[in-house]
Amino acid sequence: MASLQKTLFSLQSKLPPSSFQIARSLPMRKAFPIRTNGGNAAGARMAATAASSYAMALADVAKRNDTMELTVTDIEKLDQVFSDPTVLNFFANPTITVEKKRQVIDDIVKSSSLQSHTSNFLNVLVDANRINIVTDIVKEFELVYNKLTDTQLAEVRSVVKLEPPQLAQIAKQVQKLTGAKNVRVKTVIDPSLVAGFTIRYGDSGSKLIDMSVKKQLEDIAQQLELGEIQLAT
């Protein structure tokens, strides 16, 4: 990530103040035909539909290549890379040329050891001026993957990193609760929990198991009718 940020800074520093905007109608590569659903939905809805279409196109390629597990690993790596606002803002900047964006894509592919079809997919997004919705595509791909493989996603938030045996026990419990064939555990460090952990699972994370100290303190505050307890920092 440090080398990627260095590359971004280097590229941005070379841009003249009056760089031309990227043309909006760039040619699509034929490797990823995109399904369209039609309709005149609002902008947010259109972005969601586009993200879903791209995610399904990538899943189709992964299925044909029998690389679904490797592809979901690539997707997890992209989720980490594009969670950095510096990276996302770079690709969303219309004054930066496609060529410069492709250079950074090459750096991401090499540093993250991504598969060739994932690399091709990223370049398709750059060509189509759709790289700005890559984080939405990541979420949609996870939904597609989970449905195809009967996998339940469990997001575990904790103050400190949990050990593999603890995560395995959590996965086993989620499997019992959902009846899913497989369980993928995504971990997030969240200092606001004070101590303990939370588990979110189900359709779109609709179910929550809250074992955090923060929740216990909030319950105590509610019982005492004192409102939310403000912890000293």
Side-chain angles (χ1 to χ4, degrees):
M1 182 62 71
S3 62
L4 176 57
Q5 290 176 331
K6 183 178 180 181
T7 301
L8 289 171
F9 179 80
S10 175
L11 288 174
Q12 288 175 316
S13 65
K14 296 176 182 177
L15 288 175
S18 58
S19 298
F20 292 104
Q21 291 189 347
I22 299 173
R24 293 187 176 182
S25 56
L26 293 173
M28 287 293 296
R29 298 186 182 184
K30 296 182 179 179
F32 288 90
I34 303 303
R35 303 185 182 97
T36 56
N37 296 331
N40 295 317
R45 177 58 183 168
M46 290 176 65
T49 300
S52 177
S53 296
Y54 280 107
M56 288 188 292
L58 180 58
D60 286 343
V61 173
K63 284 169 58 180
R64 291 199 301 269
N65 295 343
D66 194 23
T67 58
M68 186 63 75
E69 295 303 320
L70 291 174
T71 303
V72 77
T73 298
D74 283 355
I75 287 294
E76 290 171 348
K77 293 176 181 178
L78 291 179
D79 190 22
Q80 292 180 338
V81 170
F82 284 91
S83 64
D84 184 342
T86 303
V87 178
L88 199 56
N89 291 338
F90 172 84
F91 284 104
N93 188 340
T95 67
I96 299 176
T97 65
V98 171
E99 289 70 23
K100 291 186 182 297
K101 290 180 180 181
R102 284 178 181 163
Q103 291 176 22
V104 178
I105 289 295
D106 289 341
D107 289 340
I108 292 173
V109 170
K110 292 176 182 177
S111 63
S112 301
S113 300
L114 302 180
Q115 299 174 91
S116 58
H117 69 263
T118 305
S119 171
N120 185 32
F121 182 72
L122 290 173
N123 280 299
V124 165
L125 295 180
V126 170
D127 287 350
N129 201 19
R130 282 296 200 177
I131 194 70
N132 60 306
I133 64 169
V134 66
T135 54
D136 294 327
I137 295 172
V138 165
K139 295 176 183 177
E140 291 293 333
F141 184 87
E142 288 183 338
L143 293 176
V144 173
Y145 170 85
N146 293 343
K147 184 176 181 179
L148 290 174
T149 60
D150 189 14
T151 296
Q152 181 67 225
L153 176 64
E155 182 185 82
V156 179
R157 290 178 173 267
S158 59
V159 178
V160 297
K161 183 179 179 180
L162 299 180
E163 297 298 323
Q166 295 173 307
L167 295 176
Q169 188 63 32
I170 290 173
K172 184 177 180 180
Q173 185 62 33
V174 171
Q175 189 174 41
K176 287 182 178 179
L177 291 171
T178 62
K181 182 178 179 181
N182 306 293
V183 175
R184 288 176 56 231
V185 176
K186 179 183 290 187
T187 59
V188 179
I189 300 299
D190 187 352
S192 72
L193 298 178
V194 184
F197 60 90
T198 65
I199 308 168
R200 188 171 290 280
Y201 65 99
D203 294 338
S204 301
S206 58
K207 299 184 182 299
L208 176 68
I209 300 174
D210 195 334
M211 304 294 290
S212 67
V213 170
K214 179 181 178 182
K215 177 62 165 58
Q216 295 173 19
L217 292 174
E218 290 174 348
D219 289 345
I220 293 173
Q222 186 175 13
Q223 291 174 11
L224 297 177
E225 298 182 351
L226 294 178
E228 184 178 354
I229 294 177
Q230 298 295 325
L231 299 177
T233 57

